[in-house]
Amino acid sequence: MSKKTENIYGAISSLEQLQVKLETYNKNLAEPSRELEDIAFEQLQQIRNLKLWIDSLYRYNGKSTSNAKKKASQENGKKGGRPPKEITQLRRRSGEIDNEIISLEHDKIMAIDSESVRQIEQSIDCLAKEKEEILIKLSEWEQSKNIL
């Protein structure tokens, strides 16, 4: 176990012990005493200490590079790397449209009058057209990526 992990577990253990003391004093005292205030202050200090160690640990882990990370990065680069934000948004919107169409199909089945059915069908048609445009854009992007 690393030194940082030991410090984190030590701080957590200390907080748990202080919490038990606080609960005991809260049950026995009608008014807060100086000792209770000291315990609360110490607990606050331990929480700050714990946050410091956790932040330090995450900063350290985020900077680490291993052979596995390097190899994965190289493999992803061979595949073209991360797609542009616009492509990611188009893919996300495509999924949203699928969900909306499913919901509208359900509403269409549950619709009582023909006017409601007609409005739902119009909405489905609009979504289907939007989905088709998205698929065309995605296809064009895939083709341009393969040409390069």
Side-chain angles (χ1 to χ4, degrees):
M1 188 179 318
S2 74
K3 182 75 171 171
K4 290 180 181 181
T5 305
E6 287 177 17
N7 285 328
I8 289 171
Y9 284 127
I12 290 171
S13 176
S14 179
L15 285 171
E16 290 171 343
Q17 291 170 0
L18 290 170
Q19 186 61 37
V20 169
K21 286 182 182 179
L22 278 174
E23 289 173 2
T24 303
Y25 283 116
N26 279 337
K27 289 178 186 175
N28 296 332
L29 298 175
E31 296 180 14
S33 68
R34 177 73 182 149
E35 188 176 4
L36 185 61
E37 290 174 7
D38 290 343
I39 292 171
F41 178 77
E42 178 65 25
Q43 188 171 10
L44 180 62
Q45 292 297 102
Q46 289 297 329
I47 289 171
R48 288 180 179 155
N49 189 27
L50 180 61
K51 287 179 181 179
L52 174 75
W53 281 109
I54 289 172
D55 289 344
S56 172
L57 180 65
Y58 286 121
R59 256 194 315 274
Y60 173 77
N61 285 343
K63 292 181 180 179
S64 68
T65 56
S66 65
N67 290 335
K69 263 187 172 180
K70 289 177 186 175
K71 186 175 180 180
S73 177
Q74 290 169 354
E75 290 299 318
N76 287 336
K78 289 178 186 175
K79 297 175 188 174
R82 184 175 298 190
K85 188 174 184 177
E86 179 185 356
I87 298 302
T88 304
Q89 289 172 340
L90 288 173
R91 288 176 178 163
R92 184 175 296 127
R93 179 63 186 144
S94 176
E96 290 171 355
I97 289 172
D98 290 340
N99 291 336
E100 289 176 36
I101 289 175
I102 290 169
S103 177
L104 287 171
E105 290 288 351
H106 179 266
D107 292 347
K108 181 179 164 183
I109 293 169
M110 303 302 285
I112 298 172
D113 57 32
S114 61
E115 180 61 26
S116 297
V117 170
R118 189 183 64 73
Q119 288 176 349
I120 292 171
E121 287 175 344
Q122 285 178 342
S123 297
I124 291 172
D125 289 342
C126 288
L127 288 171
K129 287 178 186 175
E130 183 182 353
K131 169 92 181 213
E132 187 176 323
E133 291 171 6
I134 288 172
L135 293 177
I136 290 169
K137 289 179 184 177
L138 290 173
S139 176
E140 289 171 353
W141 179 76
E142 285 290 334
Q143 288 176 357
S144 70
K145 191 173 107 174
N146 290 336
I147 291 172
L148 301 174

